[in-house]
Amino acid sequence: CGGNPIMWQGFGQRADKFKASRLTLAQRKMVNAPLIKEFAAHLECKLVHKVTFDKNILYIGEGVEASVENGVFVNDEFDMGKIRLVLH
């Protein structure tokens, strides 16, 4: 896998994906789930519904808290020069 984030999905359930990604956990405000410090924005959600499809699970949530780093928005729009996209 190396440093290729696209391949991380193949690690399986027992892999420490945070360690492999070199991301840092941050303090959350409302829910019992990790936030990632390196992300410019966060949306905390509470679980509303869980749907199982064969071996896959779809989690449906309701947003309860949102936060964004200062300076990321300019005129109510993301300043793409101030964020680093994580694509998956």
Side-chain angles (χ1 to χ4, degrees):
C1 292
N4 186 348
I6 295 170
M7 298 303 291
W8 291 345
Q9 65 184 345
F11 277 12
Q13 293 179 350
R14 291 183 293 270
D16 186 343
K17 295 175 184 78
F18 280 109
K19 184 176 180 181
S21 68
R22 299 186 191 128
L23 297 172
T24 310
L25 296 180
Q27 184 66 35
R28 59 208 171 262
K29 295 179 182 178
M30 299 289 292
V31 298
N32 186 20
L35 296 182
I36 299 174
K37 182 179 178 181
E38 291 81 4
F39 289 4
H42 297 97
L43 179 60
E44 297 181 53
C45 299
K46 70 176 183 178
L47 182 63
V48 173
H49 196 64
K50 178 175 138 179
V51 182
T52 303
F53 302 96
D54 296 321
K55 295 180 182 179
N56 301 299
I57 301 172
L58 171 66
Y59 295 96
I60 301 170
E62 176 184 343
V64 294
E65 178 71 27
S67 62
V68 65
E69 283 185 22
N70 288 333
V72 173
F73 278 100
V74 175
N75 298 325
D76 294 329
E77 293 184 13
F78 266 122
D79 182 343
M80 297 302 286
K82 296 192 177 184
I83 61 172
R84 182 173 156 232
L85 295 178
V86 176
L87 304 174
H88 56 88

